[in-house]
Amino acid sequence: MRHDRYPRVLLLAAAAAVPTLTLMPPAQAVTARAALPVAQPALPVARPADDKPVELPALRGRIGPDEDCTGPSAVTAEAEPWTRRALGLSRSWQLSRGAGVPVAVVDTGVGTAVPALAGRVEAADDAGQDCVGHGSFAAGLIAAAPTPGTGVSGVAPQARVLAVRGTDLRGRSTGATVAAGIRAAVDGGARVVYVGQALLDGRAELTAAVAHATERDVLVVAPATPDTAPVDGATHRPDTTARPYFPAFVPQVLSVVDHGADGSRPSNAPDAFAPDLSAPGDAVVGGGPKGSGHYIGSGSSLAAAHTAGVAALVRGRYPQLSAAEVARRLVAAAYPADTPRLDPYASLTAVLDGSPAKAPQAAEAHVTADAPKSPRTKALAITGAAGMLGLLVLGAVAVIPRGRARGWRAADG
């Protein structure tokens, strides 16, 4: 959904709606990116009781044919991630937690045994098994419940998750598989559809699938770029050139790119082609397909997951809004930048020109014509009369001396 199609509307939200990007130590802010399926190196992000450095394992977007499936992480991040502070979730949860809003995750699957998602995952076909782990990670960013002893949680912790497979078991996808996943998600009752892939092929199929979602009033959110740049066949080096990826480039899709703790993107990240929004997506901490441990990952797909969570918050607070109105709200209320930055609290509180979610107007006051004269009314009348008398006295003091001086004659000529 190209944000330049929506003119900037009048925002009457409080100044508190402007987000603050919370900085974190440089060691946490930097993450390496490599062409898939090579995993990113783990980063030191937490310390156990004995104060020795702990590294979180890296999130994978796909796995090789001979690699084992991703298992539970043995490491738990106790500190609150920078992403949660940057998104201002504590304030947003006072207004909405996305209760009951069904969000589809069209990705590598979602583990149904993830503790932070317990009781809120419904899987289509075999999507309850996640060999790669990316879909479970994204689902956690969207809807994981807060867990005691850790600051990691999803954006909409009371939303429901519909797991839909958009890849094969190893994480490889095509336009046809993602398009089929979008259609299945819509037909399965999703109100928000998150897509984890950014593809160069399948434009026609994906455009038709998004049209199906639009007809059913379902918002589709997708990454504007892949998490790692494709490798150039001639140079064998990552090609970061900006280009349209699908389904993000379909006009009705909310297209999202990632940023880091300082608001910028890593220098080796793929350049984005006309994204609608920017959201936290670098050095992101989240859960795996099993257990309560954590992984760390980076990329636009994770920024899109955060955005899908905010869409669930908005649909939970304003169920009367259409999918297009929800997208417009997220873009219009975003923090102004070259690419507007997602602001959950402003999305929930901003008063937009022409929006059905405008604040109610104060009731017009009516005064009875023959209202009885109460003591207060009488006192006001007496005070008013005294004031008029005082003005007359002051006028006389000024006029009478001048009149006497002129012999009480009219002014000449």
Side-chain angles (χ1 to χ4, degrees):
M1 181 170 294
R2 308 284 76 76
H3 67 268
D4 54 359
R5 294 189 180 185
Y6 296 93
R8 288 291 170 187
V9 292
L10 180 63
L11 297 180
L12 300 180
V18 178
T20 301
L21 286 175
T22 306
L23 299 179
M24 65 179 182
Q28 292 178 293
V30 180
T31 184
R33 297 172 186 248
L36 293 174
V38 178
Q40 304 170 27
L43 300 180
V45 297
R47 290 179 182 271
D50 58 6
D51 202 38
K52 293 181 180 179
V54 171
E55 293 184 344
L56 293 179
L59 173 68
R60 297 186 290 179
R62 64 179 64 167
I63 57 178
D66 299 325
E67 292 184 275
D68 293 334
C69 290
T70 300
S73 169
V75 185
T76 299
E78 298 179 358
E80 183 180 75
W82 76 270
T83 52
R84 177 169 170 173
R85 299 192 300 271
L87 290 169
L89 296 183
S90 297
R91 288 197 305 165
S92 298
W93 288 345
Q94 298 175 27
L95 303 173
S96 174
R97 290 178 177 245
V101 177
V103 181
V105 175
V106 180
D107 206 336
T108 61
V110 177
T112 56
V114 177
L117 298 170
R120 292 182 292 122
V121 179
E122 177 184 348
D125 299 325
D126 66 343
Q129 301 294 322
D130 184 8
C131 183
V132 179
H134 189 278
S136 299
F137 190 100
L141 298 184
I142 295 169
T147 303
T150 176
V152 180
S153 63
V155 174
Q158 293 180 356
R160 293 164 46 210
V161 174
L162 174 60
V164 180
R165 189 167 297 286
T167 70
D168 64 17
L169 296 177
R170 298 284 164 172
R172 289 167 176 78
S173 61
T174 65
T177 57
V178 174
I182 293 173
R183 289 181 179 275
V186 172
D187 295 342
R191 300 295 288 155
V192 178
V193 173
Y194 161 79
V195 176
Q197 287 70 44
L199 305 173
L200 292 172
D201 70 304
R203 178 171 187 166
E205 295 165 300
L206 290 167
T207 300
V210 172
H212 179 64
T214 302
E215 291 170 359
R216 302 289 186 90
D217 192 31
V218 178
L219 176 62
V220 179
V221 183
T225 71
D227 290 348
T228 56
V231 177
D232 183 277
T235 64
H236 302 289
R237 301 181 64 181
D239 182 1
T240 60
T241 305
R243 64 193 70 189
Y245 287 94
F246 296 91
F249 194 66
V250 178
Q252 292 76 24
V253 174
L254 195 58
S255 169
V256 189
V257 71
D258 59 316
H259 68 247
D262 63 354
S264 65
R265 302 190 67 221
S267 59
N268 57 341
D271 291 334
F273 192 92
D276 295 312
L277 281 173
S278 174
D282 191 31
V284 177
V285 178
K290 298 177 181 178
S292 56
H294 296 114
Y295 288 82
I296 189 167
S298 295
S300 292
S301 70
L302 309 185
H306 283 135
T307 304
V310 177
L313 295 181
V314 173
R315 298 215 90 162
R317 180 168 171 80
Y318 301 116
Q320 78 276 21
L321 294 181
S322 68
E325 288 169 333
V326 172
R328 171 178 172 263
R329 173 168 282 270
L330 266 60
V331 174
Y335 183 79
D338 290 341
T339 300
R341 294 177 192 163
L342 180 69
D343 186 340
Y345 188 74
S347 298
L348 293 168
T349 59
V351 179
L352 307 183
D353 186 24
S355 169
K358 290 181 69 174
Q361 300 295 321
E364 183 179 355
H366 296 280
V367 179
T368 306
D370 298 326
K373 292 185 177 181
S374 64
R376 171 176 162 75
T377 304
K378 292 179 181 179
L380 290 174
I382 293 171
T383 302
M388 290 297 296
L389 180 60
L391 291 175
L392 290 174
V393 171
L394 290 174
V397 170
V399 171
I400 290 174
R402 295 182 63 187
R404 287 177 176 173
R406 297 180 61 87
W408 300 102
R409 290 181 289 106
D412 293 338

